[in-house]
Amino acid sequence: MQFGLPWGLLALLGVPLIVLLYSLRPRRRDVTLSSVSLWQEALRERPRGVGWRRLLRDLELLALLALAVLLGLALAHPLWQRAAPPAGDVVLVLDRSASMQASPGGGASRFERALQVARAEVDGLAEGGRALIMSSARQPQLHSAFEADPARLRRVLEGLRPSDEAGRPGAALELALSLLHDRERGRVLFITDGAFDVDLPVATPALRVHRVAEDEPASVNVAITRFDLRAEVGNPQRWQVLLGVRNYADRALRVPAEVRFGEQPVWQRELDLAPGAEQTLVVAVDAALVTRAEARVLIDDDLAVDNRAHAVASVQGAVLVALYARDGRYVRHALANLPGVVLTEYDPATAQRFGAPDADAAAARPDVVVFAGVAPPRLAPGSYLLVDALVPGLPFSQTGEVRQPRISGSASSALLRGVDLAGVHIEAARRVQIAAGAEGVQPLFWSDETPLALTSIDAQRRLVYLGFDPGASDLPLRPAFPLLLAQAMDWLAPAADRQRSTQALAGEPQAIVLPAGLERLRVQGPAGVSEHAPRAGQVLFRDTGQTGFYRYQAGNLSGQFAVNLTDAAESDLRPRAAPATRAGDAGTGAQALGASEAARALRPLWPYLTLAALVLALLEWGLWCRGRTGA
Amino acid sequence: MASPASVAAVPPTGALLFDAAFLRRLEQLELLARRVPRGGRRGERLTQRRGRGLEFSDFRPYQAGDDLRHVDWNVSARLDRLFLKLYAAEEDVTVYVLLDASASMAFGAPAKFDHARRLGAALAYVALLKQDRVVLATFGDGPGTYTPALKSRRALPRVLTFLAEREAAGGTCLAAALRDFVWRARRPGLVLLIADLLGESAPALIAGLDVLRHAGHEVVLLQVLDEAEVDPPLDGDLRLLDAEDGSALVVSVDGALRGAYQARLAAHLRELEDYTRRAGHTYLRATTAIPFEDLLLRYLRGAGPLR
């Protein structure tokens, strides 16, 4: 038995108090006898009967004490653990993290054993019971609704595969428990190897954990925990390679490791790894410019997925910027000094003809067009930075002017990462109003009166708007100004070959930003080819469950990125879940609950204790009345 | 001579009423006095003392100073010696009926005192019928209350009235009461002591009874108890109050304590029995649960005081 509110046991302190009060209560009956002398003599031969024996003889007092004990126990909310019938809904959560691919000692992998347990649960569903199947990896994933047909559930199970992702079971279990909300007698069965360090949700009678790795021999695993490379600045022939390798076995191992650029090995070494030790290496490699690199540890251990890591090398490309500025010296100066920006300035008078069919051909091909203090009559599809300039047809328009606006807030945006706008003084700003229902418009920072900067994105255009003349503020004198412009350039010109991030963790969504005008993205990865439509100028690619190289293409845009496991906790194959978990049962599905041990339910006992206390209260009242009438 | 029916109509208290049939049965009884004390008047009781009387008893040799009128000349001539003729002198016995009227006798339902009064009245009636002199006395709080010596059945109404007017109240000290009685009762007789004998220790009671023995009285001890005194139906937390002195005793009564009380009671009664046996007294103990007629006509006849 356990207590849900142990502090309620403090009520038992009332028991000695009751005894004390009862002892003080005058309640002796007077009886007149012919003589008490013989009683006096009898008393001399034995004690008067006070103390515990007297108390025990008193039914009324015993009833009061029992009543106090029962109420004290009821307040403590006792829970009786008992075997519960397996009816009701069950949520089967299968651990699909990378460690479930392991098979220490050979034989079936952990995931295959987990599937066996799940199948037994499905086969053992009680009449009227339903099951929902979901999995846990980096993100929880639902694979079915609550289903009563075991055949359908089995088909769902057959379609599950382990992933290369690191596990995050907490989110999955919270989701699973939330699915049981308002469902009486529902339960969650989490089938896992327990090889994670995350705290499970607060212990609840609805959650049971079945560990499939309980009886395994000690695992042997060596994993690549880090892998990255970068070219030396200005020397694409020389690379710095960062490699981390860890031995999770309980014995020392000598492991060959190598790095390949493309198919060409560029570095090899045998690593001596003590038990539990990790070696981190930074090596210089002389090699030609490549886009793909791979690190390998050549060992046949219990988990193969972490024996390889992938990387895509990135090369910084130039951003072609066209500038139309009327007295935009601050903007000109800042853009000209941004690394990777090739700035071309045009006569601001020609801005009026911008976008016209006979406009300067060279001006039609920049990556970003900047209008500072001068506005064209229209904006063709493309990316624009408008500084103190407004163009008709935008989803926001000027409604006036604001003198000395104070920046009162800013958005959480990639454009403002590291940009400190505190105390920026602005002499005057345009008062703008965003059209009602306008989509794709987001203020970057604002005053109480008006947005001072915003972004706008639609299928045709990508736009950053600054609503004041930088020369009429002290912003150009701050580091925030060039940083803001640099990040604006990155956002306005997200060409693939300018992406810095080349690696992702398995299971992490990868955001692929598309230039305006591109409507379809094709992605090829280890699992196959898929196509995706962009939303708000980007595709959030989620199918990164397998490690390897992913290549994407959309129109003239192409790129690639790598997906790795590189998770130290996931590569540790030792089962180490919370003490509340229990060993799995490798039995068959003979029981209604399948291979797992019988379900346990906690039955609250307070109603029974309260009822018994009520009966005792009535008894005590009856005894008291009997005593008063002298019956 | 008053008829049994008229006797029954006289007393005011219903407890002392005896029906005619019961009275007729009483008339057949006689109090036994094994050692007939010296009585100065003629009664229906034969005395073993030699002396003038109506019935020849025995011979004895003449001694100087004897009355020559009592010489049996025939025996003397035959034996050639002078012998006196002895006669059985019919003398009366004074029967003292002593009733314990202390507050302890009020205990019980029916009260022991009522039972004792009926018993005393019945025994007094038997004595009166046999021309014995009867003195009734009650002792309780203060000096005892005595009747003058009553004789003949015509005194029965007075007996009943006397007993009816008595109440059980106050404390008592038996030894003091008996010493007072002995001082008052110059003439030894048959003492019928009716009491519960619980208020004092056995030695104290024995000391009082010894006073009677030393004064030459023949003692018949009739102890009247209530069933609740023999087997007390008490249990739990109680405050026991003494009916005589009002003292209180706080107890928690359980089976063990009840057993201890009964053991003490048995020892007390045994001590009294042992004494009365040694002293040659007659001792009878009865509870109020025994029907009165059974007590009188069976138990008292069997124990000896009556025949």
Side-chain angles (χ1 to χ4, degrees):
Chain A
M1 184 168 70
Q2 46 187 290
F3 293 97
L5 296 171
W7 57 262
L9 294 174
L10 291 175
L12 294 178
L13 293 176
V15 169
L17 182 62
I18 291 173
V19 172
L20 175 64
L21 292 175
Y22 200 84
S23 302
L24 297 176
R25 188 181 69 173
R27 49 187 174 82
R28 294 183 181 271
R29 185 163 52 96
D30 286 345
V31 176
T32 301
L33 300 179
S34 56
S35 173
V36 300
S37 60
L38 290 177
W39 287 99
Q40 285 174 329
E41 292 179 20
L43 279 177
R44 286 191 211 106
E45 297 176 6
R46 65 180 296 272
R48 294 193 173 197
V50 297
W52 295 114
R53 281 185 296 170
R54 169 189 152 198
L55 292 176
L56 289 176
R57 287 194 302 269
D58 197 320
L59 272 183
E60 202 176 330
L61 175 64
L62 290 178
L64 272 178
L65 293 177
L67 178 65
V69 168
L70 287 174
L71 287 179
L73 290 176
L75 279 174
H77 193 44
L79 300 168
W80 182 262
Q81 192 176 26
R82 64 176 183 86
D89 293 338
V90 58
V91 177
L92 296 175
V93 182
L94 273 80
D95 185 353
R96 287 196 315 117
S97 63
S99 63
M100 292 294 286
Q101 300 177 39
S103 56
S109 69
R110 292 174 176 180
F111 190 77
E112 289 168 350
R113 280 179 266 151
L115 278 181
Q116 287 179 358
V117 174
R119 289 190 199 103
E121 284 287 335
V122 166
D123 292 340
L125 276 179
E127 190 170 343
R130 300 183 303 171
L132 178 146
I133 297 174
M134 60 181 291
S135 65
S136 165
R138 179 167 289 276
Q139 304 288 340
Q141 188 175 357
L142 294 177
H143 299 286
S144 77
F146 278 103
E147 179 64 59
D149 184 358
R152 266 193 217 171
L153 292 169
R154 288 185 73 106
R155 283 197 292 274
V156 170
L157 289 174
E158 297 312 319
L160 295 181
R161 297 288 181 270
S163 69
D164 296 341
E165 304 169 24
R168 298 289 184 265
L173 294 178
E174 288 182 2
L175 173 61
L177 289 171
S178 69
L179 293 174
L180 288 180
H181 180 64
D182 289 340
R183 292 175 192 273
E184 294 184 0
R185 301 167 73 189
R187 57 194 173 91
V188 173
L189 177 60
F190 181 37
I191 309 170
T192 177
D193 58 356
F196 50 84
D197 296 324
V198 176
D199 288 336
L200 295 180
V202 175
T204 164
L207 173 61
R208 290 178 44 242
V209 178
H210 184 116
R211 303 207 304 182
V212 297
E214 198 67 17
D215 298 323
E216 288 179 351
S219 59
V220 176
N221 190 35
V222 175
I224 295 175
T225 57
R226 301 183 203 184
F227 181 55
D228 202 358
L229 68 161
R230 62 181 179 183
E232 287 190 3
V233 177
N235 185 3
Q237 303 293 326
R238 191 169 180 83
W239 295 82
Q240 290 179 348
V241 176
L242 172 67
L243 178 65
V245 180
R246 183 169 181 172
N247 175 19
Y248 291 93
D250 55 4
R251 53 187 170 91
L253 294 172
R254 172 170 285 190
V255 180
E258 68 175 15
V259 174
R260 288 171 176 255
F261 281 9
E263 296 302 320
Q264 181 66 34
V266 297
W267 178 84
Q268 290 174 319
R269 185 185 293 184
E270 283 200 342
L271 304 177
D272 289 313
L273 299 170
E278 180 174 3
Q279 281 194 26
T280 302
L281 308 169
V282 178
V283 297
V285 175
D286 290 318
L289 177 66
V290 293
T291 55
R292 286 188 174 187
E294 186 175 339
R296 300 179 184 179
V297 287
L298 306 177
I299 180 172
D300 184 15
D301 57 10
D302 292 331
L303 186 63
V305 66
D306 55 7
N307 295 348
R308 290 190 176 190
H310 312 83
V312 173
S314 64
V315 175
Q316 185 74 20
V319 178
L320 301 178
V321 177
L323 173 63
Y324 295 83
R326 190 192 315 278
D327 192 22
R329 58 182 181 277
Y330 294 107
V331 175
R332 180 188 309 113
H333 180 75
L335 288 174
N337 286 285
L338 287 180
V341 170
V342 176
L343 183 65
T344 303
E345 189 167 2
Y346 295 90
D347 184 356
T350 62
Q352 297 301 316
R353 294 173 46 240
F354 181 82
D358 58 346
D360 190 329
R365 295 204 306 274
D367 296 312
V368 179
V369 179
V370 179
F371 293 97
V374 61
R378 69 192 71 81
L379 291 179
S383 297
Y384 299 92
L385 172 62
L386 301 180
V387 180
D388 194 24
L390 274 174
V391 178
L394 295 179
F396 53 93
S397 59
Q398 182 173 356
T399 60
E401 188 177 81
V402 177
R403 305 295 301 177
Q404 298 185 349
R406 291 172 59 105
I407 298 175
S408 60
S410 62
S412 176
S413 170
L415 277 72
L416 296 180
R417 191 179 301 125
V419 176
D420 182 8
L421 298 172
V424 170
H425 175 74
I426 303 171
E427 191 62 33
R430 298 171 185 257
R431 184 192 296 267
V432 297
Q433 184 173 4
I434 301 171
E439 294 185 358
V441 180
Q442 180 186 359
L444 286 178
F445 55 90
W446 51 85
S447 70
D448 293 337
E449 299 87 355
T450 180
L452 297 171
L454 51 80
T455 60
S456 172
I457 184 170
D458 58 29
Q460 300 290 320
R461 284 180 288 269
R462 211 177 252 261
L463 187 146
V464 175
Y465 166 78
L466 200 63
F468 56 94
D469 180 7
S473 74
D474 61 357
L475 183 60
L477 305 178
R478 297 166 179 261
F481 187 60
L483 183 57
L484 174 62
L485 290 183
Q487 290 177 166
M489 292 300 111
D490 284 341
W491 187 78
L492 289 169
D497 58 359
R498 282 190 290 278
Q499 289 197 45
R500 302 178 189 274
S501 173
T502 62
Q503 290 191 51
L505 294 177
E508 271 192 346
Q510 187 72 2
I512 303 172
V513 179
L514 300 184
L518 297 179
E519 298 179 352
R520 207 82 189 151
L521 179 73
R522 185 169 180 271
V523 179
Q524 182 175 8
V529 178
S530 58
E531 290 196 349
H532 308 269
R535 292 189 65 180
Q538 69 178 13
V539 169
L540 195 62
F541 180 73
R542 298 181 186 274
D543 297 332
T544 58
Q546 292 191 20
T547 57
F549 293 105
Y550 290 73
R551 181 185 292 275
Y552 59 87
Q553 183 182 8
N556 294 328
L557 173 70
S558 65
Q560 55 187 336
F561 59 92
V563 172
N564 295 315
L565 174 58
T566 56
D567 187 289
E570 190 63 30
S571 294
D572 186 354
L573 301 180
R574 295 172 301 133
R576 55 196 185 277
T581 61
R582 297 186 294 188
D585 179 8
T588 64
Q591 297 180 1
L593 290 175
S596 59
E597 45 193 290
R600 289 287 182 263
L602 291 178
R603 175 184 285 277
L605 295 180
W606 70 265
Y608 306 101
L609 294 174
T610 307
L611 181 62
L614 180 62
V615 170
L616 277 175
L618 291 173
L619 172 65
E620 196 274 339
W621 176 73
L623 290 172
W624 178 78
C625 289
R626 181 166 167 261
R628 283 200 67 182
T629 58
Chain B
M1 181 182 294
S3 66
S6 64
V7 168
V10 168
T13 168
L16 298 179
L17 283 176
F18 303 128
D19 59 23
F22 183 71
L23 288 176
R24 277 197 293 276
R25 298 181 75 175
L26 287 182
E27 290 173 358
Q28 299 170 9
L29 297 178
E30 180 182 356
L31 277 170
L32 281 179
R34 286 170 298 176
R35 304 188 306 274
V36 178
R38 193 159 37 106
R41 302 194 184 139
R42 298 174 72 87
E44 292 186 8
R45 195 177 296 278
L46 295 181
T47 175
Q48 294 301 316
R49 282 178 45 83
R50 286 10 178 211
R52 287 181 299 174
L54 299 178
E55 188 171 337
F56 171 73
S57 172
D58 198 355
F59 291 102
R60 75 169 170 82
Y62 175 83
Q63 293 174 358
D66 288 339
D67 190 347
L68 286 173
R69 286 177 296 173
H70 294 151
V71 172
D72 191 321
W73 296 108
N74 290 330
V75 172
S76 298
R78 205 174 310 132
L79 299 177
D80 200 22
R81 253 184 101 176
L82 291 177
F83 283 89
L84 287 181
K85 185 183 288 186
L86 299 179
Y87 296 91
E90 292 179 340
E91 295 185 333
D92 61 350
V93 170
T94 302
V95 177
Y96 300 96
V97 180
L98 305 184
L99 218 61
D100 180 359
S102 63
S104 64
M105 292 295 288
F107 180 83
K112 292 183 293 184
F113 189 62
D114 291 338
H115 204 77
R117 282 192 294 188
R118 292 193 75 193
L119 187 59
L123 293 172
Y125 182 64
V126 169
L128 289 172
L129 289 176
K130 298 301 181 219
Q131 298 300 314
D132 287 326
R133 293 196 303 162
V134 174
V135 174
L136 287 107
T138 62
F139 55 92
D141 194 11
T145 306
Y146 294 83
T147 64
L150 305 173
K151 205 167 168 72
S152 86
R153 67 174 61 196
R154 286 195 295 274
L156 182 59
R158 189 167 178 186
V159 167
L160 298 176
T161 301
F162 173 80
L163 292 175
E165 291 173 350
R166 302 284 77 78
E167 289 180 354
T172 187
C173 174
L174 184 65
L178 292 180
R179 275 196 293 273
D180 178 69
F181 162 74
V182 165
W183 183 82
R184 287 171 176 269
R186 304 288 179 163
R187 183 176 174 184
L190 178 62
V191 174
L192 305 174
L193 178 58
I194 306 173
D196 57 7
L197 304 178
L198 287 183
E200 300 171 76
S201 65
L205 294 172
I206 290 170
L209 294 171
D210 268 347
V211 170
L212 293 178
R213 182 166 64 88
H214 294 149
H217 294 283
E218 183 176 345
V219 179
V220 176
L221 198 55
L222 301 174
Q223 186 177 25
V224 179
L225 297 175
D226 187 270
E227 279 292 325
E229 293 171 322
V230 177
D231 187 14
L234 302 176
D235 191 57
D237 297 327
L238 303 171
R239 192 169 70 141
L240 305 180
L241 302 176
D242 191 297
E244 293 193 6
D245 59 15
S247 61
L249 182 65
V250 174
V251 294
S252 291
V253 180
D254 56 3
L257 185 59
R258 278 196 302 274
Y261 163 80
Q262 288 173 324
R264 289 306 311 149
L265 176 65
H268 176 80
L269 299 178
R270 195 163 46 245
E271 200 168 346
L272 291 176
E273 285 177 15
D274 291 342
Y275 164 75
T276 54
R277 187 169 51 250
R278 290 194 307 271
H281 297 330
T282 301
Y283 172 63
L284 180 69
R285 180 173 65 245
T287 67
T288 54
I290 297 176
F292 180 76
E293 293 187 8
D294 287 347
L295 174 65
L296 206 60
L297 301 177
R298 185 190 304 175
Y299 294 105
L300 282 175
R301 289 181 76 173
L306 290 176
R307 67 172 181 185

PDB file of all heavy atoms in Angstrom, chain B residues 26-40:
ATOM      1  N   LEU B  26     -46.841 -21.713  61.865  1.00  0.00           N
ATOM      2  CA  LEU B  26     -45.930 -21.203  62.874  1.00  0.00           C
ATOM      3  C   LEU B  26     -46.277 -21.746  64.250  1.00  0.00           C
ATOM      4  O   LEU B  26     -45.392 -21.978  65.090  1.00  0.00           O
ATOM      5  CB  LEU B  26     -45.972 -19.667  62.901  1.00  0.00           C
ATOM      6  CG  LEU B  26     -45.302 -18.929  61.730  1.00  0.00           C
ATOM      7  CD1 LEU B  26     -45.394 -17.424  61.934  1.00  0.00           C
ATOM      8  CD2 LEU B  26     -43.842 -19.341  61.593  1.00  0.00           C
ATOM      9  N   GLU B  27     -47.559 -21.943  64.447  1.00  0.00           N
ATOM     10  CA  GLU B  27     -47.973 -22.423  65.768  1.00  0.00           C
ATOM     11  C   GLU B  27     -47.425 -23.801  66.061  1.00  0.00           C
ATOM     12  O   GLU B  27     -47.330 -24.204  67.231  1.00  0.00           O
ATOM     13  CB  GLU B  27     -49.504 -22.414  65.850  1.00  0.00           C
ATOM     14  CG  GLU B  27     -50.097 -21.018  65.889  1.00  0.00           C
ATOM     15  CD  GLU B  27     -51.614 -21.072  65.787  1.00  0.00           C
ATOM     16  OE1 GLU B  27     -52.161 -22.198  65.658  1.00  0.00           O
ATOM     17  OE2 GLU B  27     -52.233 -20.006  65.838  1.00  0.00           O
ATOM     18  N   GLN B  28     -47.047 -24.498  65.019  1.00  0.00           N
ATOM     19  CA  GLN B  28     -46.509 -25.826  65.233  1.00  0.00           C
ATOM     20  C   GLN B  28     -45.027 -25.818  65.502  1.00  0.00           C
ATOM     21  O   GLN B  28     -44.428 -26.847  65.758  1.00  0.00           O
ATOM     22  CB  GLN B  28     -46.810 -26.693  64.002  1.00  0.00           C
ATOM     23  CG  GLN B  28     -48.296 -26.854  63.742  1.00  0.00           C
ATOM     24  CD  GLN B  28     -48.547 -27.508  62.405  1.00  0.00           C
ATOM     25  OE1 GLN B  28     -47.635 -27.989  61.758  1.00  0.00           O
ATOM     26  NE2 GLN B  28     -49.805 -27.537  61.998  1.00  0.00           N
ATOM     27  N   LEU B  29     -44.446 -24.647  65.425  1.00  0.00           N
ATOM     28  CA  LEU B  29     -43.004 -24.561  65.601  1.00  0.00           C
ATOM     29  C   LEU B  29     -42.694 -24.222  67.039  1.00  0.00           C
ATOM     30  O   LEU B  29     -43.506 -23.700  67.798  1.00  0.00           O
ATOM     31  CB  LEU B  29     -42.414 -23.498  64.671  1.00  0.00           C
ATOM     32  CG  LEU B  29     -42.571 -23.761  63.175  1.00  0.00           C
ATOM     33  CD1 LEU B  29     -41.999 -22.612  62.378  1.00  0.00           C
ATOM     34  CD2 LEU B  29     -41.902 -25.064  62.796  1.00  0.00           C
ATOM     35  N   GLU B  30     -41.479 -24.487  67.354  1.00  0.00           N
ATOM     36  CA  GLU B  30     -41.001 -24.146  68.683  1.00  0.00           C
ATOM     37  C   GLU B  30     -39.538 -23.791  68.554  1.00  0.00           C
ATOM     38  O   GLU B  30     -38.768 -24.440  67.837  1.00  0.00           O
ATOM     39  CB  GLU B  30     -41.173 -25.347  69.615  1.00  0.00           C
ATOM     40  CG  GLU B  30     -40.690 -25.094  71.047  1.00  0.00           C
ATOM     41  CD  GLU B  30     -40.841 -26.323  71.896  1.00  0.00           C
ATOM     42  OE1 GLU B  30     -41.381 -27.332  71.385  1.00  0.00           O
ATOM     43  OE2 GLU B  30     -40.390 -26.292  73.044  1.00  0.00           O
ATOM     44  N   LEU B  31     -39.203 -22.748  69.243  1.00  0.00           N
ATOM     45  CA  LEU B  31     -37.805 -22.365  69.259  1.00  0.00           C
ATOM     46  C   LEU B  31     -37.055 -23.286  70.193  1.00  0.00           C
ATOM     47  O   LEU B  31     -37.453 -23.509  71.336  1.00  0.00           O
ATOM     48  CB  LEU B  31     -37.676 -20.916  69.745  1.00  0.00           C
ATOM     49  CG  LEU B  31     -37.891 -19.828  68.672  1.00  0.00           C
ATOM     50  CD1 LEU B  31     -37.979 -18.475  69.297  1.00  0.00           C
ATOM     51  CD2 LEU B  31     -36.774 -19.885  67.655  1.00  0.00           C
ATOM     52  N   LEU B  32     -35.938 -23.739  69.682  1.00  0.00           N
ATOM     53  CA  LEU B  32     -35.117 -24.613  70.498  1.00  0.00           C
ATOM     54  C   LEU B  32     -34.067 -23.794  71.227  1.00  0.00           C
ATOM     55  O   LEU B  32     -33.378 -22.971  70.639  1.00  0.00           O
ATOM     56  CB  LEU B  32     -34.395 -25.630  69.617  1.00  0.00           C
ATOM     57  CG  LEU B  32     -35.204 -26.827  69.154  1.00  0.00           C
ATOM     58  CD1 LEU B  32     -34.369 -27.716  68.275  1.00  0.00           C
ATOM     59  CD2 LEU B  32     -35.722 -27.606  70.349  1.00  0.00           C
ATOM     60  N   ALA B  33     -34.024 -24.061  72.538  1.00  0.00           N
ATOM     61  CA  ALA B  33     -32.937 -23.458  73.307  1.00  0.00           C
ATOM     62  C   ALA B  33     -32.191 -24.615  73.931  1.00  0.00           C
ATOM     63  O   ALA B  33     -32.661 -25.231  74.887  1.00  0.00           O
ATOM     64  CB  ALA B  33     -33.498 -22.508  74.352  1.00  0.00           C
ATOM     65  N   ARG B  34     -31.056 -24.965  73.379  1.00  0.00           N
ATOM     66  CA  ARG B  34     -30.372 -26.152  73.878  1.00  0.00           C
ATOM     67  C   ARG B  34     -29.849 -25.972  75.272  1.00  0.00           C
ATOM     68  O   ARG B  34     -29.784 -26.902  76.064  1.00  0.00           O
ATOM     69  CB  ARG B  34     -29.215 -26.480  72.921  1.00  0.00           C
ATOM     70  CG  ARG B  34     -29.682 -27.079  71.627  1.00  0.00           C
ATOM     71  CD  ARG B  34     -28.551 -27.148  70.654  1.00  0.00           C
ATOM     72  NE  ARG B  34     -28.049 -25.814  70.339  1.00  0.00           N
ATOM     73  CZ  ARG B  34     -26.989 -25.602  69.564  1.00  0.00           C
ATOM     74  NH1 ARG B  34     -26.316 -26.619  69.090  1.00  0.00           N
ATOM     75  NH2 ARG B  34     -26.603 -24.384  69.324  1.00  0.00           N
ATOM     76  N   ARG B  35     -29.445 -24.807  75.546  1.00  0.00           N
ATOM     77  CA  ARG B  35     -29.008 -24.536  76.920  1.00  0.00           C
ATOM     78  C   ARG B  35     -29.978 -23.507  77.480  1.00  0.00           C
ATOM     79  O   ARG B  35     -29.857 -22.317  77.218  1.00  0.00           O
ATOM     80  CB  ARG B  35     -27.595 -23.963  76.933  1.00  0.00           C
ATOM     81  CG  ARG B  35     -26.576 -24.838  76.225  1.00  0.00           C
ATOM     82  CD  ARG B  35     -25.189 -24.258  76.468  1.00  0.00           C
ATOM     83  NE  ARG B  35     -25.099 -22.856  76.085  1.00  0.00           N
ATOM     84  CZ  ARG B  35     -24.825 -22.443  74.846  1.00  0.00           C
ATOM     85  NH1 ARG B  35     -24.658 -23.306  73.873  1.00  0.00           N
ATOM     86  NH2 ARG B  35     -24.769 -21.148  74.590  1.00  0.00           N
ATOM     87  N   VAL B  36     -30.998 -24.042  78.166  1.00  0.00           N
ATOM     88  CA  VAL B  36     -32.043 -23.136  78.654  1.00  0.00           C
ATOM     89  C   VAL B  36     -31.495 -22.286  79.770  1.00  0.00           C
ATOM     90  O   VAL B  36     -31.097 -22.791  80.812  1.00  0.00           O
ATOM     91  CB  VAL B  36     -33.251 -23.937  79.174  1.00  0.00           C
ATOM     92  CG1 VAL B  36     -34.307 -22.992  79.726  1.00  0.00           C
ATOM     93  CG2 VAL B  36     -33.826 -24.783  78.052  1.00  0.00           C
ATOM     94  N   PRO B  37     -31.389 -21.047  79.550  1.00  0.00           N
ATOM     95  CA  PRO B  37     -30.860 -20.191  80.618  1.00  0.00           C
ATOM     96  C   PRO B  37     -31.839 -20.120  81.787  1.00  0.00           C
ATOM     97  O   PRO B  37     -33.015 -20.446  81.654  1.00  0.00           O
ATOM     98  CB  PRO B  37     -30.724 -18.817  79.937  1.00  0.00           C
ATOM     99  CG  PRO B  37     -30.846 -19.087  78.483  1.00  0.00           C
ATOM    100  CD  PRO B  37     -31.700 -20.308  78.360  1.00  0.00           C
ATOM    101  N   ARG B  38     -31.276 -19.733  82.860  1.00  0.00           N
ATOM    102  CA  ARG B  38     -32.080 -19.642  84.077  1.00  0.00           C
ATOM    103  C   ARG B  38     -33.205 -18.647  83.872  1.00  0.00           C
ATOM    104  O   ARG B  38     -33.003 -17.493  83.537  1.00  0.00           O
ATOM    105  CB  ARG B  38     -31.138 -19.189  85.186  1.00  0.00           C
ATOM    106  CG  ARG B  38     -31.641 -19.315  86.573  1.00  0.00           C
ATOM    107  CD  ARG B  38     -30.450 -19.325  87.516  1.00  0.00           C
ATOM    108  NE  ARG B  38     -29.393 -18.436  87.081  1.00  0.00           N
ATOM    109  CZ  ARG B  38     -29.139 -17.270  87.669  1.00  0.00           C
ATOM    110  NH1 ARG B  38     -29.872 -16.851  88.666  1.00  0.00           N
ATOM    111  NH2 ARG B  38     -28.168 -16.502  87.239  1.00  0.00           N
ATOM    112  N   GLY B  39     -34.401 -19.112  84.021  1.00  0.00           N
ATOM    113  CA  GLY B  39     -35.546 -18.213  83.904  1.00  0.00           C
ATOM    114  C   GLY B  39     -36.252 -18.142  85.259  1.00  0.00           C
ATOM    115  O   GLY B  39     -36.261 -19.094  86.006  1.00  0.00           O
ATOM    116  N   GLY B  40     -36.780 -17.069  85.581  1.00  0.00           N
ATOM    117  CA  GLY B  40     -37.352 -16.945  86.917  1.00  0.00           C
ATOM    118  C   GLY B  40     -38.841 -17.239  86.979  1.00  0.00           C
ATOM    119  O   GLY B  40     -39.434 -17.298  88.050  1.00  0.00           O
TER     120      GLY B  40
END
